[in-house]
Amino acid sequence: MVDVDVLVLGAGSGGYSCALRAAQLGLSVAIVEKNRLGGTCLHIGCIPTKALLHAAEVADLARDSEQFGVRASLEGVDMPGVNAYKDGVVQRLHKGLTGLVKSRGITVIEGEGRLTGPREVTVAGERHTGRHVVLATGSYPRTLPGLEIDGERVLTSEQALRLDRVPASVVVLGGGVIGSEFASVWRSFGAEVTVVEALPRLVALEDEASSRALERAFRKRGITVRTSTSFRSVETTASGVRVTVESDKGEDTVEAELLLVAVGRGPVTDGLGYDEQGVTLERGFVVTDERCRTGVEGLWAVGDIVPGLQLAHRGFQQGIFVAEEIAGLEPAAIDETTIPRVTYSHPEVASVGLTEAQAVERHGADAVESLTYDLGGNGKSQILKTQGFVKLVRTTDGPVVGVHMVGDRVGELIGEAQLIYGWEAHAEDVAPLVHAHPTQNEALGEAHLALAGKPLHAHS
């Protein structure tokens, strides 16, 4: 039996960040984990998918090298080799995390834990207690009613990461972040890809302009995009799958080698004893206040099981916040609108703050302005041969309330955008800042110059 100050159930992004920060603050800490330290993000989520996306970028560069004056050719994609590269990245990070947890004196309890008291977790019949218990059990890939995942023809994203071949053709069910990223990877690797999305646009949580730009780019790459199209059924054929879909034009079918189900992720809370201990659940999610408190004394929740954006960096921040709250530091509550969002497709989509539609809803149409700076005026983007834009949304004569970007590598620009939004900067505050030339980061400066009424490499 382990008795500690902080007992964390789940060692994913939210759980291990909480454990590390709590230990750093002098608290005794234990983590319960049934799989491996790092959770979904490290092993079957963020890290391996981004490794695949980088391999896809290399494939595109090799295929299109002549546009840069380099004579190269793409002989093919060796998926065992790609997987070895991907798995190597994961293994190195896992080894580093394991060493870090050990060096902080954190006890790791291996096995599946269940909440058996407000401050008690039972693992394999042994009860472990904590002055505080932090729930961080993560998420799983959702499916649709009547849609059976067989792991061979019909896959989740987790199974897709283990494919040992490039499929000839794929139907991607879901045009959100996960679906768009896998569609991008497989198209770069040479597959025929069809994206089926029930909503009117891809990455529907993003600004409408970003969605339109991504859809145009996908179509230009040869990806078939079918929005406002609902899934009806799937059947296995001799060569793969036949997917029946329905749109305003009626029902029809799409055939492919594989069907990827990417319709979102659900919270891992079922059967873990949460409701029995008085934790309020809504659609399986743990309801908390703005300070991650569940309403049960000494019981907290972080990460994907808490309603909101299911992002690793949100889990990191919540975990750190809870550790500091337990230690009595009284940290400022997390403003969820300051959490940056990135879709790592080709091209990338990145944003922070409000979409234009959200800003209009909040402040009124007459009190909102927007400006779009085309990356065509940015030297580094021309060098990279990427297209896209930086779109700024602000209140009239007020601060910037949203930054939205499309283009290769724009995810690397989101840090400054987050500061601009988080510090409620006006365009006039950002315009005098010196941005290195030539960089894509310069596009943020140019956009703010234009919004401040003094455009440089942009038409007035």
Side-chain angles (χ1 to χ4, degrees), residues 17 19-24 27 29 99-107:
S17 64
L20 289 172
R21 182 64 177 135
Q24 191 177 53
L27 301 171
V29 184
L100 189 59
V101 167
K102 184 178 180 180
S103 72
R104 296 276 175 90
I106 297 168
T107 301

Side-chain angles (χ1 to χ4, degrees), residues 33-87:
E33 175 54 53
K34 65 179 181 179
N35 292 316
R36 292 172 290 178
L37 290 175
T40 294
C41 174
L42 177 54
H43 298 285
I44 48 177
C46 323
I47 299 300
T49 55
K50 277 50 179 182
L52 283 185
L53 283 155
H54 182 64
E57 181 184 5
V58 173
D60 285 331
L61 287 171
R63 183 186 294 112
D64 302 326
S65 64
E66 284 196 12
Q67 66 179 317
F68 302 103
V70 178
R71 293 174 182 166
S73 62
L74 179 63
E75 295 182 6
V77 176
D78 171 23
M79 277 310 298
V82 171
N83 286 334
Y85 151 69
K86 165 179 64 69
D87 295 343

Side-chain angles (χ1 to χ4, degrees), residues 140-143 149-163 178 182 186 259-262 265:
Y140 67 92
R142 286 190 185 275
T143 185
I149 307 294
D150 62 18
E152 295 183 2
R153 299 291 193 184
V154 182
L155 312 176
T156 67
S157 58
E158 295 177 6
Q159 294 158 339
L161 283 169
R162 297 192 292 268
L163 275 182
I178 296 172
F182 271 98
W186 279 325
L259 170 64
L260 172 67
V261 181
R265 297 184 66 87

